PDB file of all heavy atoms in Angstrom:
ATOM      1  N   ILE A  21     -36.741  23.928 -19.217  1.00  0.00           N
ATOM      2  CA  ILE A  21     -37.450  23.025 -20.111  1.00  0.00           C
ATOM      3  C   ILE A  21     -38.419  22.220 -19.358  1.00  0.00           C
ATOM      4  O   ILE A  21     -38.052  21.466 -18.397  1.00  0.00           O
ATOM      5  CB  ILE A  21     -36.371  22.131 -20.878  1.00  0.00           C
ATOM      6  CG1 ILE A  21     -35.333  22.961 -21.541  1.00  0.00           C
ATOM      7  CG2 ILE A  21     -37.066  21.200 -21.779  1.00  0.00           C
ATOM      8  CD1 ILE A  21     -34.199  22.074 -22.162  1.00  0.00           C
ATOM      9  N   GLY A  22     -39.707  22.255 -19.712  1.00  0.00           N
ATOM     10  CA  GLY A  22     -40.672  21.465 -19.023  1.00  0.00           C
ATOM     11  C   GLY A  22     -41.510  20.539 -20.046  1.00  0.00           C
ATOM     12  O   GLY A  22     -41.751  21.035 -21.137  1.00  0.00           O
ATOM     13  N   ASP A  23     -41.760  19.355 -19.625  1.00  0.00           N
ATOM     14  CA  ASP A  23     -42.395  18.491 -20.669  1.00  0.00           C
ATOM     15  C   ASP A  23     -43.938  18.639 -20.693  1.00  0.00           C
ATOM     16  O   ASP A  23     -44.568  18.138 -21.527  1.00  0.00           O
ATOM     17  CB  ASP A  23     -42.058  16.967 -20.348  1.00  0.00           C
ATOM     18  CG  ASP A  23     -42.524  16.494 -19.037  1.00  0.00           C
ATOM     19  OD1 ASP A  23     -43.118  17.378 -18.224  1.00  0.00           O
ATOM     20  OD2 ASP A  23     -42.399  15.319 -18.694  1.00  0.00           O
ATOM     21  N   GLU A  24     -44.503  19.424 -19.786  1.00  0.00           N
ATOM     22  CA  GLU A  24     -45.916  19.763 -19.862  1.00  0.00           C
ATOM     23  C   GLU A  24     -46.143  21.068 -20.507  1.00  0.00           C
ATOM     24  O   GLU A  24     -45.257  21.919 -20.548  1.00  0.00           O
ATOM     25  CB  GLU A  24     -46.544  19.723 -18.464  1.00  0.00           C
ATOM     26  CG  GLU A  24     -46.547  18.356 -17.718  1.00  0.00           C
ATOM     27  CD  GLU A  24     -47.192  18.374 -16.453  1.00  0.00           C
ATOM     28  OE1 GLU A  24     -48.443  18.734 -16.417  1.00  0.00           O
ATOM     29  OE2 GLU A  24     -46.537  18.149 -15.324  1.00  0.00           O
ATOM     30  N   PRO A  25     -47.309  21.294 -21.146  1.00  0.00           N
ATOM     31  CA  PRO A  25     -47.514  22.538 -21.927  1.00  0.00           C
ATOM     32  C   PRO A  25     -47.843  23.722 -20.917  1.00  0.00           C
ATOM     33  O   PRO A  25     -47.755  24.876 -21.390  1.00  0.00           O
ATOM     34  CB  PRO A  25     -48.694  22.247 -22.807  1.00  0.00           C
ATOM     35  CG  PRO A  25     -49.487  21.162 -22.045  1.00  0.00           C
ATOM     36  CD  PRO A  25     -48.416  20.320 -21.435  1.00  0.00           C
ATOM     37  N   GLU A  26     -48.131  23.412 -19.616  1.00  0.00           N
ATOM     38  CA  GLU A  26     -48.586  24.531 -18.795  1.00  0.00           C
ATOM     39  C   GLU A  26     -47.427  25.170 -18.083  1.00  0.00           C
ATOM     40  O   GLU A  26     -46.338  24.646 -17.960  1.00  0.00           O
ATOM     41  CB  GLU A  26     -49.475  23.925 -17.683  1.00  0.00           C
ATOM     42  CG  GLU A  26     -50.856  23.450 -18.155  1.00  0.00           C
ATOM     43  CD  GLU A  26     -50.803  21.974 -18.594  1.00  0.00           C
ATOM     44  OE1 GLU A  26     -49.743  21.321 -18.407  1.00  0.00           O
ATOM     45  OE2 GLU A  26     -51.854  21.457 -19.038  1.00  0.00           O
ATOM     46  N   PHE A  27     -47.691  26.425 -17.565  1.00  0.00           N
ATOM     47  CA  PHE A  27     -46.817  27.092 -16.757  1.00  0.00           C
ATOM     48  C   PHE A  27     -46.583  26.209 -15.430  1.00  0.00           C
ATOM     49  O   PHE A  27     -47.457  25.450 -15.066  1.00  0.00           O
ATOM     50  CB  PHE A  27     -47.267  28.456 -16.298  1.00  0.00           C
ATOM     51  CG  PHE A  27     -47.228  29.467 -17.416  1.00  0.00           C
ATOM     52  CD1 PHE A  27     -48.437  30.076 -17.862  1.00  0.00           C
ATOM     53  CD2 PHE A  27     -46.079  29.838 -18.017  1.00  0.00           C
ATOM     54  CE1 PHE A  27     -48.407  30.984 -18.952  1.00  0.00           C
ATOM     55  CE2 PHE A  27     -46.004  30.762 -19.004  1.00  0.00           C
ATOM     56  CZ  PHE A  27     -47.225  31.354 -19.569  1.00  0.00           C
ATOM     57  N   PRO A  28     -45.429  26.296 -14.739  1.00  0.00           N
ATOM     58  CA  PRO A  28     -45.221  25.475 -13.541  1.00  0.00           C
ATOM     59  C   PRO A  28     -46.364  25.679 -12.537  1.00  0.00           C
ATOM     60  O   PRO A  28     -46.818  26.815 -12.260  1.00  0.00           O
ATOM     61  CB  PRO A  28     -43.893  25.977 -13.054  1.00  0.00           C
ATOM     62  CG  PRO A  28     -43.151  26.374 -14.212  1.00  0.00           C
ATOM     63  CD  PRO A  28     -44.236  27.067 -15.122  1.00  0.00           C
ATOM     64  N   TYR A  29     -46.753  24.559 -11.902  1.00  0.00           N
ATOM     65  CA  TYR A  29     -47.905  24.660 -10.976  1.00  0.00           C
ATOM     66  C   TYR A  29     -47.612  23.710  -9.868  1.00  0.00           C
ATOM     67  O   TYR A  29     -46.757  22.802  -9.899  1.00  0.00           O
ATOM     68  CB  TYR A  29     -49.212  24.294 -11.729  1.00  0.00           C
ATOM     69  CG  TYR A  29     -49.226  22.897 -12.377  1.00  0.00           C
ATOM     70  CD1 TYR A  29     -49.687  21.812 -11.609  1.00  0.00           C
ATOM     71  CD2 TYR A  29     -48.814  22.693 -13.685  1.00  0.00           C
ATOM     72  CE1 TYR A  29     -49.730  20.488 -12.149  1.00  0.00           C
ATOM     73  CE2 TYR A  29     -48.870  21.455 -14.237  1.00  0.00           C
ATOM     74  CZ  TYR A  29     -49.351  20.332 -13.497  1.00  0.00           C
ATOM     75  OH  TYR A  29     -49.390  19.079 -14.086  1.00  0.00           O
ATOM     76  N   GLU A  30     -48.431  23.935  -8.800  1.00  0.00           N
ATOM     77  CA  GLU A  30     -48.427  23.040  -7.550  1.00  0.00           C
ATOM     78  C   GLU A  30     -49.022  21.712  -7.935  1.00  0.00           C
ATOM     79  O   GLU A  30     -50.137  21.573  -8.446  1.00  0.00           O
ATOM     80  CB  GLU A  30     -49.144  23.693  -6.439  1.00  0.00           C
ATOM     81  CG  GLU A  30     -48.667  25.042  -6.002  1.00  0.00           C
ATOM     82  CD  GLU A  30     -49.589  25.572  -4.895  1.00  0.00           C
ATOM     83  OE1 GLU A  30     -49.604  24.923  -3.780  1.00  0.00           O
ATOM     84  OE2 GLU A  30     -50.239  26.583  -5.045  1.00  0.00           O
ATOM     85  N   ARG A  31     -48.300  20.559  -7.453  1.00  0.00           N
ATOM     86  CA  ARG A  31     -48.903  19.228  -7.609  1.00  0.00           C
ATOM     87  C   ARG A  31     -49.807  18.722  -6.496  1.00  0.00           C
ATOM     88  O   ARG A  31     -50.704  18.086  -6.705  1.00  0.00           O
ATOM     89  CB  ARG A  31     -47.815  18.270  -7.950  1.00  0.00           C
ATOM     90  CG  ARG A  31     -47.072  18.567  -9.317  1.00  0.00           C
ATOM     91  CD  ARG A  31     -46.224  17.383  -9.714  1.00  0.00           C
ATOM     92  NE  ARG A  31     -45.466  17.766 -10.886  1.00  0.00           N
ATOM     93  CZ  ARG A  31     -45.903  17.750 -12.152  1.00  0.00           C
ATOM     94  NH1 ARG A  31     -47.078  17.367 -12.359  1.00  0.00           N
ATOM     95  NH2 ARG A  31     -45.115  18.143 -13.089  1.00  0.00           N
ATOM     96  N   PRO A  32     -49.490  19.088  -5.180  1.00  0.00           N
ATOM     97  CA  PRO A  32     -50.301  18.499  -4.101  1.00  0.00           C
ATOM     98  C   PRO A  32     -51.771  18.768  -4.179  1.00  0.00           C
ATOM     99  O   PRO A  32     -52.605  17.870  -3.979  1.00  0.00           O
ATOM    100  CB  PRO A  32     -49.690  19.221  -2.894  1.00  0.00           C
ATOM    101  CG  PRO A  32     -48.286  19.405  -3.201  1.00  0.00           C
ATOM    102  CD  PRO A  32     -48.204  19.789  -4.611  1.00  0.00           C
ATOM    103  N   PRO A  33     -52.236  19.889  -4.785  1.00  0.00           N
ATOM    104  CA  PRO A  33     -53.703  20.169  -4.908  1.00  0.00           C
ATOM    105  C   PRO A  33     -54.301  19.168  -5.943  1.00  0.00           C
ATOM    106  O   PRO A  33     -55.592  19.096  -5.883  1.00  0.00           O
ATOM    107  CB  PRO A  33     -53.824  21.569  -5.291  1.00  0.00           C
ATOM    108  CG  PRO A  33     -52.587  22.201  -4.841  1.00  0.00           C
ATOM    109  CD  PRO A  33     -51.585  21.146  -5.089  1.00  0.00           C
ATOM    110  N   LEU A  34     -53.597  18.531  -6.771  1.00  0.00           N
ATOM    111  CA  LEU A  34     -54.186  17.732  -7.798  1.00  0.00           C
ATOM    112  C   LEU A  34     -55.142  16.652  -7.317  1.00  0.00           C
ATOM    113  O   LEU A  34     -56.194  16.413  -7.764  1.00  0.00           O
ATOM    114  CB  LEU A  34     -53.077  17.094  -8.673  1.00  0.00           C
ATOM    115  CG  LEU A  34     -52.314  18.050  -9.635  1.00  0.00           C
ATOM    116  CD1 LEU A  34     -51.253  17.287 -10.358  1.00  0.00           C
ATOM    117  CD2 LEU A  34     -53.248  18.790 -10.617  1.00  0.00           C
ATOM    118  N   SER A  35     -54.659  16.054  -6.133  1.00  0.00           N
ATOM    119  CA  SER A  35     -55.485  14.939  -5.583  1.00  0.00           C
ATOM    120  C   SER A  35     -56.394  15.443  -4.418  1.00  0.00           C
ATOM    121  O   SER A  35     -57.057  14.662  -3.768  1.00  0.00           O
ATOM    122  CB  SER A  35     -54.509  13.923  -4.937  1.00  0.00           C
ATOM    123  OG  SER A  35     -53.673  14.416  -4.045  1.00  0.00           O
ATOM    124  N   LYS A  36     -56.364  16.834  -4.259  1.00  0.00           N
ATOM    125  CA  LYS A  36     -57.196  17.409  -3.172  1.00  0.00           C
ATOM    126  C   LYS A  36     -58.138  18.461  -3.804  1.00  0.00           C
ATOM    127  O   LYS A  36     -59.120  18.129  -4.415  1.00  0.00           O
ATOM    128  CB  LYS A  36     -56.296  18.002  -2.196  1.00  0.00           C
ATOM    129  CG  LYS A  36     -55.211  17.114  -1.564  1.00  0.00           C
ATOM    130  CD  LYS A  36     -54.376  17.780  -0.591  1.00  0.00           C
ATOM    131  CE  LYS A  36     -53.156  16.972  -0.138  1.00  0.00           C
ATOM    132  NZ  LYS A  36     -52.074  16.816  -1.099  1.00  0.00           N
ATOM    133  N   ASP A  37     -57.823  19.770  -3.648  1.00  0.00           N
ATOM    134  CA  ASP A  37     -58.698  20.816  -4.003  1.00  0.00           C
ATOM    135  C   ASP A  37     -59.012  20.892  -5.502  1.00  0.00           C
ATOM    136  O   ASP A  37     -60.146  21.251  -5.823  1.00  0.00           O
ATOM    137  CB  ASP A  37     -58.007  22.185  -3.600  1.00  0.00           C
ATOM    138  CG  ASP A  37     -57.421  22.219  -2.252  1.00  0.00           C
ATOM    139  OD1 ASP A  37     -56.510  21.406  -2.013  1.00  0.00           O
ATOM    140  OD2 ASP A  37     -57.895  22.961  -1.373  1.00  0.00           O
ATOM    141  N   TYR A  38     -57.973  20.621  -6.329  1.00  0.00           N
ATOM    142  CA  TYR A  38     -58.231  20.702  -7.760  1.00  0.00           C
ATOM    143  C   TYR A  38     -59.207  19.577  -8.285  1.00  0.00           C
ATOM    144  O   TYR A  38     -60.165  19.862  -8.957  1.00  0.00           O
ATOM    145  CB  TYR A  38     -56.921  20.592  -8.491  1.00  0.00           C
ATOM    146  CG  TYR A  38     -57.048  20.799 -10.013  1.00  0.00           C
ATOM    147  CD1 TYR A  38     -57.438  22.146 -10.539  1.00  0.00           C
ATOM    148  CD2 TYR A  38     -56.767  19.810 -10.998  1.00  0.00           C
ATOM    149  CE1 TYR A  38     -57.536  22.324 -11.832  1.00  0.00           C
ATOM    150  CE2 TYR A  38     -56.919  19.997 -12.339  1.00  0.00           C
ATOM    151  CZ  TYR A  38     -57.379  21.298 -12.773  1.00  0.00           C
ATOM    152  OH  TYR A  38     -57.451  21.509 -14.086  1.00  0.00           O
ATOM    153  N   LEU A  39     -58.947  18.372  -7.751  1.00  0.00           N
ATOM    154  CA  LEU A  39     -59.835  17.285  -8.161  1.00  0.00           C
ATOM    155  C   LEU A  39     -61.257  17.518  -7.619  1.00  0.00           C
ATOM    156  O   LEU A  39     -62.196  17.211  -8.247  1.00  0.00           O
ATOM    157  CB  LEU A  39     -59.346  15.935  -7.609  1.00  0.00           C
ATOM    158  CG  LEU A  39     -60.242  14.744  -7.774  1.00  0.00           C
ATOM    159  CD1 LEU A  39     -60.504  14.470  -9.253  1.00  0.00           C
ATOM    160  CD2 LEU A  39     -59.542  13.462  -7.133  1.00  0.00           C
ATOM    161  N   ALA A  40     -61.398  18.124  -6.501  1.00  0.00           N
ATOM    162  CA  ALA A  40     -62.675  18.385  -5.821  1.00  0.00           C
ATOM    163  C   ALA A  40     -63.404  19.528  -6.522  1.00  0.00           C
ATOM    164  O   ALA A  40     -64.551  19.838  -6.181  1.00  0.00           O
ATOM    165  CB  ALA A  40     -62.479  18.646  -4.331  1.00  0.00           C
ATOM    166  N   GLY A  41     -62.705  20.315  -7.393  1.00  0.00           N
ATOM    167  CA  GLY A  41     -63.309  21.427  -8.026  1.00  0.00           C
ATOM    168  C   GLY A  41     -63.295  22.679  -7.156  1.00  0.00           C
ATOM    169  O   GLY A  41     -64.000  23.680  -7.429  1.00  0.00           O
ATOM    170  N   GLU A  42     -62.518  22.685  -6.016  1.00  0.00           N
ATOM    171  CA  GLU A  42     -62.534  23.739  -5.133  1.00  0.00           C
ATOM    172  C   GLU A  42     -61.470  24.822  -5.481  1.00  0.00           C
ATOM    173  O   GLU A  42     -61.522  25.942  -4.896  1.00  0.00           O
ATOM    174  CB  GLU A  42     -62.246  23.227  -3.610  1.00  0.00           C
ATOM    175  CG  GLU A  42     -63.364  22.353  -3.207  1.00  0.00           C
ATOM    176  CD  GLU A  42     -63.014  21.596  -1.855  1.00  0.00           C
ATOM    177  OE1 GLU A  42     -61.817  21.876  -1.434  1.00  0.00           O
ATOM    178  OE2 GLU A  42     -63.790  20.917  -1.358  1.00  0.00           O
ATOM    179  N   LYS A  43     -60.556  24.502  -6.362  1.00  0.00           N
ATOM    180  CA  LYS A  43     -59.520  25.469  -6.872  1.00  0.00           C
ATOM    181  C   LYS A  43     -59.436  25.345  -8.301  1.00  0.00           C
ATOM    182  O   LYS A  43     -59.381  24.238  -8.876  1.00  0.00           O
ATOM    183  CB  LYS A  43     -58.171  25.220  -6.228  1.00  0.00           C
ATOM    184  CG  LYS A  43     -57.989  25.721  -4.785  1.00  0.00           C
ATOM    185  CD  LYS A  43     -56.504  25.645  -4.372  1.00  0.00           C
ATOM    186  CE  LYS A  43     -56.262  26.182  -2.973  1.00  0.00           C
ATOM    187  NZ  LYS A  43     -54.844  26.070  -2.553  1.00  0.00           N
ATOM    188  N   THR A  44     -59.392  26.433  -9.023  1.00  0.00           N
ATOM    189  CA  THR A  44     -59.153  26.479 -10.440  1.00  0.00           C
ATOM    190  C   THR A  44     -57.643  26.258 -10.706  1.00  0.00           C
ATOM    191  O   THR A  44     -56.867  26.372  -9.842  1.00  0.00           O
ATOM    192  CB  THR A  44     -59.592  27.830 -11.047  1.00  0.00           C
ATOM    193  OG1 THR A  44     -58.776  28.898 -10.507  1.00  0.00           O
ATOM    194  CG2 THR A  44     -61.091  28.135 -10.825  1.00  0.00           C
ATOM    195  N   PHE A  45     -57.413  25.987 -11.953  1.00  0.00           N
ATOM    196  CA  PHE A  45     -55.966  25.791 -12.278  1.00  0.00           C
ATOM    197  C   PHE A  45     -55.144  26.956 -12.085  1.00  0.00           C
ATOM    198  O   PHE A  45     -54.013  26.851 -11.592  1.00  0.00           O
ATOM    199  CB  PHE A  45     -55.824  25.285 -13.767  1.00  0.00           C
ATOM    200  CG  PHE A  45     -54.372  24.946 -14.141  1.00  0.00           C
ATOM    201  CD1 PHE A  45     -53.746  23.827 -13.586  1.00  0.00           C
ATOM    202  CD2 PHE A  45     -53.661  25.827 -14.981  1.00  0.00           C
ATOM    203  CE1 PHE A  45     -52.451  23.616 -13.946  1.00  0.00           C
ATOM    204  CE2 PHE A  45     -52.379  25.534 -15.264  1.00  0.00           C
ATOM    205  CZ  PHE A  45     -51.748  24.484 -14.765  1.00  0.00           C
ATOM    206  N   GLU A  46     -55.739  28.174 -12.384  1.00  0.00           N
ATOM    207  CA  GLU A  46     -55.007  29.417 -12.264  1.00  0.00           C
ATOM    208  C   GLU A  46     -54.553  29.587 -10.748  1.00  0.00           C
ATOM    209  O   GLU A  46     -53.569  30.201 -10.451  1.00  0.00           O
ATOM    210  CB  GLU A  46     -55.878  30.576 -12.690  1.00  0.00           C
ATOM    211  CG  GLU A  46     -56.039  30.605 -14.224  1.00  0.00           C
ATOM    212  CD  GLU A  46     -56.849  29.568 -14.817  1.00  0.00           C
ATOM    213  OE1 GLU A  46     -57.699  29.039 -14.022  1.00  0.00           O
ATOM    214  OE2 GLU A  46     -56.594  29.140 -15.925  1.00  0.00           O
ATOM    215  N   ARG A  47     -55.380  29.111  -9.825  1.00  0.00           N
ATOM    216  CA  ARG A  47     -55.056  29.284  -8.399  1.00  0.00           C
ATOM    217  C   ARG A  47     -53.943  28.386  -7.907  1.00  0.00           C
ATOM    218  O   ARG A  47     -53.401  28.587  -6.811  1.00  0.00           O
ATOM    219  CB  ARG A  47     -56.275  29.098  -7.568  1.00  0.00           C
ATOM    220  CG  ARG A  47     -57.311  30.200  -7.687  1.00  0.00           C
ATOM    221  CD  ARG A  47     -58.477  29.965  -6.768  1.00  0.00           C
ATOM    222  NE  ARG A  47     -58.028  29.884  -5.339  1.00  0.00           N
ATOM    223  CZ  ARG A  47     -58.735  29.411  -4.351  1.00  0.00           C
ATOM    224  NH1 ARG A  47     -59.999  28.920  -4.620  1.00  0.00           N
ATOM    225  NH2 ARG A  47     -58.324  29.381  -3.123  1.00  0.00           N
ATOM    226  N   ILE A  48     -53.499  27.436  -8.721  1.00  0.00           N
ATOM    227  CA  ILE A  48     -52.452  26.489  -8.236  1.00  0.00           C
ATOM    228  C   ILE A  48     -51.119  26.736  -9.022  1.00  0.00           C
ATOM    229  O   ILE A  48     -50.155  26.010  -8.927  1.00  0.00           O
ATOM    230  CB  ILE A  48     -52.863  25.034  -8.306  1.00  0.00           C
ATOM    231  CG1 ILE A  48     -52.991  24.530  -9.709  1.00  0.00           C
ATOM    232  CG2 ILE A  48     -54.110  24.741  -7.422  1.00  0.00           C
ATOM    233  CD1 ILE A  48     -53.277  22.929  -9.849  1.00  0.00           C
ATOM    234  N   LEU A  49     -51.203  27.790  -9.909  1.00  0.00           N
ATOM    235  CA  LEU A  49     -49.934  28.154 -10.577  1.00  0.00           C
ATOM    236  C   LEU A  49     -48.875  28.598  -9.570  1.00  0.00           C
ATOM    237  O   LEU A  49     -49.256  29.372  -8.633  1.00  0.00           O
ATOM    238  CB  LEU A  49     -50.185  29.266 -11.658  1.00  0.00           C
ATOM    239  CG  LEU A  49     -50.892  28.894 -12.966  1.00  0.00           C
ATOM    240  CD1 LEU A  49     -51.201  30.100 -13.725  1.00  0.00           C
ATOM    241  CD2 LEU A  49     -50.146  27.915 -13.751  1.00  0.00           C
ATOM    242  N   LEU A  50     -47.638  28.237  -9.686  1.00  0.00           N
ATOM    243  CA  LEU A  50     -46.612  28.641  -8.735  1.00  0.00           C
ATOM    244  C   LEU A  50     -46.397  30.122  -8.985  1.00  0.00           C
ATOM    245  O   LEU A  50     -46.065  30.842  -7.956  1.00  0.00           O
ATOM    246  CB  LEU A  50     -45.360  27.834  -9.004  1.00  0.00           C
ATOM    247  CG  LEU A  50     -45.434  26.400  -8.495  1.00  0.00           C
ATOM    248  CD1 LEU A  50     -44.228  25.616  -9.059  1.00  0.00           C
ATOM    249  CD2 LEU A  50     -45.399  26.374  -6.992  1.00  0.00           C
ATOM    250  N   ARG A  51     -46.443  30.679 -10.140  1.00  0.00           N
ATOM    251  CA  ARG A  51     -46.328  32.091 -10.397  1.00  0.00           C
ATOM    252  C   ARG A  51     -47.218  32.439 -11.562  1.00  0.00           C
ATOM    253  O   ARG A  51     -47.441  31.577 -12.521  1.00  0.00           O
ATOM    254  CB  ARG A  51     -44.845  32.527 -10.746  1.00  0.00           C
ATOM    255  CG  ARG A  51     -43.878  32.398  -9.523  1.00  0.00           C
ATOM    256  CD  ARG A  51     -44.170  33.432  -8.524  1.00  0.00           C
ATOM    257  NE  ARG A  51     -43.130  33.503  -7.512  1.00  0.00           N
ATOM    258  CZ  ARG A  51     -42.959  32.706  -6.493  1.00  0.00           C
ATOM    259  NH1 ARG A  51     -43.891  31.755  -6.310  1.00  0.00           N
ATOM    260  NH2 ARG A  51     -42.004  32.865  -5.623  1.00  0.00           N
ATOM    261  N   PRO A  52     -47.736  33.654 -11.673  1.00  0.00           N
ATOM    262  CA  PRO A  52     -48.516  34.059 -12.855  1.00  0.00           C
ATOM    263  C   PRO A  52     -47.652  33.949 -14.139  1.00  0.00           C
ATOM    264  O   PRO A  52     -46.505  34.029 -14.108  1.00  0.00           O
ATOM    265  CB  PRO A  52     -48.861  35.511 -12.520  1.00  0.00           C
ATOM    266  CG  PRO A  52     -48.682  35.738 -11.059  1.00  0.00           C
ATOM    267  CD  PRO A  52     -47.582  34.726 -10.632  1.00  0.00           C
ATOM    268  N   GLY A  53     -48.290  33.795 -15.231  1.00  0.00           N
ATOM    269  CA  GLY A  53     -47.658  33.573 -16.530  1.00  0.00           C
ATOM    270  C   GLY A  53     -46.676  34.611 -16.814  1.00  0.00           C
ATOM    271  O   GLY A  53     -45.515  34.326 -17.371  1.00  0.00           O
ATOM    272  N   ASN A  54     -46.946  35.890 -16.527  1.00  0.00           N
ATOM    273  CA  ASN A  54     -46.031  37.002 -16.907  1.00  0.00           C
ATOM    274  C   ASN A  54     -44.819  37.073 -16.054  1.00  0.00           C
ATOM    275  O   ASN A  54     -43.883  37.745 -16.390  1.00  0.00           O
ATOM    276  CB  ASN A  54     -46.779  38.341 -16.936  1.00  0.00           C
ATOM    277  CG  ASN A  54     -47.338  38.684 -15.536  1.00  0.00           C
ATOM    278  OD1 ASN A  54     -47.169  37.905 -14.530  1.00  0.00           O
ATOM    279  ND2 ASN A  54     -47.935  39.868 -15.475  1.00  0.00           N
ATOM    280  N   PHE A  55     -44.829  36.345 -14.908  1.00  0.00           N
ATOM    281  CA  PHE A  55     -43.634  36.360 -14.016  1.00  0.00           C
ATOM    282  C   PHE A  55     -42.383  35.929 -14.797  1.00  0.00           C
ATOM    283  O   PHE A  55     -41.307  36.506 -14.619  1.00  0.00           O
ATOM    284  CB  PHE A  55     -43.885  35.513 -12.804  1.00  0.00           C
ATOM    285  CG  PHE A  55     -42.665  35.119 -11.938  1.00  0.00           C
ATOM    286  CD1 PHE A  55     -42.326  35.971 -10.950  1.00  0.00           C
ATOM    287  CD2 PHE A  55     -41.893  34.010 -12.134  1.00  0.00           C
ATOM    288  CE1 PHE A  55     -41.202  35.784 -10.165  1.00  0.00           C
ATOM    289  CE2 PHE A  55     -40.803  33.759 -11.449  1.00  0.00           C
ATOM    290  CZ  PHE A  55     -40.443  34.634 -10.467  1.00  0.00           C
ATOM    291  N   TRP A  56     -42.518  34.870 -15.505  1.00  0.00           N
ATOM    292  CA  TRP A  56     -41.318  34.168 -16.179  1.00  0.00           C
ATOM    293  C   TRP A  56     -40.609  35.196 -17.092  1.00  0.00           C
ATOM    294  O   TRP A  56     -39.435  35.303 -17.159  1.00  0.00           O
ATOM    295  CB  TRP A  56     -41.689  32.928 -16.764  1.00  0.00           C
ATOM    296  CG  TRP A  56     -42.428  32.020 -15.791  1.00  0.00           C
ATOM    297  CD1 TRP A  56     -43.780  31.836 -15.656  1.00  0.00           C
ATOM    298  CD2 TRP A  56     -41.876  31.278 -14.709  1.00  0.00           C
ATOM    299  NE1 TRP A  56     -44.049  30.997 -14.611  1.00  0.00           N
ATOM    300  CE2 TRP A  56     -42.934  30.677 -14.026  1.00  0.00           C
ATOM    301  CE3 TRP A  56     -40.571  31.074 -14.299  1.00  0.00           C
ATOM    302  CZ2 TRP A  56     -42.711  29.823 -12.907  1.00  0.00           C
ATOM    303  CZ3 TRP A  56     -40.322  30.263 -13.127  1.00  0.00           C
ATOM    304  CH2 TRP A  56     -41.435  29.657 -12.530  1.00  0.00           C
ATOM    305  N   THR A  57     -41.501  35.923 -17.858  1.00  0.00           N
ATOM    306  CA  THR A  57     -40.906  36.899 -18.883  1.00  0.00           C
ATOM    307  C   THR A  57     -40.327  38.036 -18.091  1.00  0.00           C
ATOM    308  O   THR A  57     -39.170  38.503 -18.433  1.00  0.00           O
ATOM    309  CB  THR A  57     -42.051  37.392 -19.780  1.00  0.00           C
ATOM    310  OG1 THR A  57     -42.628  36.263 -20.483  1.00  0.00           O
ATOM    311  CG2 THR A  57     -41.460  38.310 -20.783  1.00  0.00           C
ATOM    312  N   ASP A  58     -41.028  38.487 -17.108  1.00  0.00           N
ATOM    313  CA  ASP A  58     -40.545  39.631 -16.331  1.00  0.00           C
ATOM    314  C   ASP A  58     -39.202  39.355 -15.650  1.00  0.00           C
ATOM    315  O   ASP A  58     -38.393  40.232 -15.518  1.00  0.00           O
ATOM    316  CB  ASP A  58     -41.551  40.049 -15.178  1.00  0.00           C
ATOM    317  CG  ASP A  58     -42.812  40.560 -15.760  1.00  0.00           C
ATOM    318  OD1 ASP A  58     -42.892  40.981 -16.961  1.00  0.00           O
ATOM    319  OD2 ASP A  58     -43.830  40.626 -15.119  1.00  0.00           O
ATOM    320  N   GLN A  59     -38.965  38.134 -15.316  1.00  0.00           N
ATOM    321  CA  GLN A  59     -37.698  37.705 -14.573  1.00  0.00           C
ATOM    322  C   GLN A  59     -36.683  37.145 -15.552  1.00  0.00           C
ATOM    323  O   GLN A  59     -35.607  36.624 -15.096  1.00  0.00           O
ATOM    324  CB  GLN A  59     -38.008  36.603 -13.514  1.00  0.00           C
ATOM    325  CG  GLN A  59     -38.850  37.133 -12.440  1.00  0.00           C
ATOM    326  CD  GLN A  59     -38.168  38.189 -11.559  1.00  0.00           C
ATOM    327  OE1 GLN A  59     -36.976  38.108 -11.224  1.00  0.00           O
ATOM    328  NE2 GLN A  59     -38.942  39.298 -11.250  1.00  0.00           N
ATOM    329  N   ALA A  60     -36.897  37.282 -16.857  1.00  0.00           N
ATOM    330  CA  ALA A  60     -35.960  36.930 -17.851  1.00  0.00           C
ATOM    331  C   ALA A  60     -35.603  35.413 -17.717  1.00  0.00           C
ATOM    332  O   ALA A  60     -34.460  34.988 -17.722  1.00  0.00           O
ATOM    333  CB  ALA A  60     -34.699  37.748 -17.828  1.00  0.00           C
TER     334      ALA A  60
END
């Protein structure tokens, strides 16, 4: 159960690469979206 609507993602880049526009959100996901279904 997660209180955010997004798939789990890395937080450290939020104040670094993501804020700077050097990484897209997809690049900071901990796993691709289909991973969670594939792993039941």
Side-chain angles (χ1 to χ4, degrees):
I21 303 171
D23 63 357
E24 295 183 61
E26 293 88 2
F27 290 119
Y29 60 89
E30 299 179 65
R31 294 195 188 277
L34 292 177
S35 57
K36 308 179 187 73
D37 313 65
Y38 186 67
L39 175 58
E42 296 170 357
K43 280 188 177 180
T44 63
F45 183 71
E46 288 68 30
R47 287 184 61 196
I48 67 172
L49 288 173
L50 287 167
R51 291 291 189 278
N54 60 357
F55 167 86
W56 307 100
T57 302
D58 293 345
Q59 295 296 314

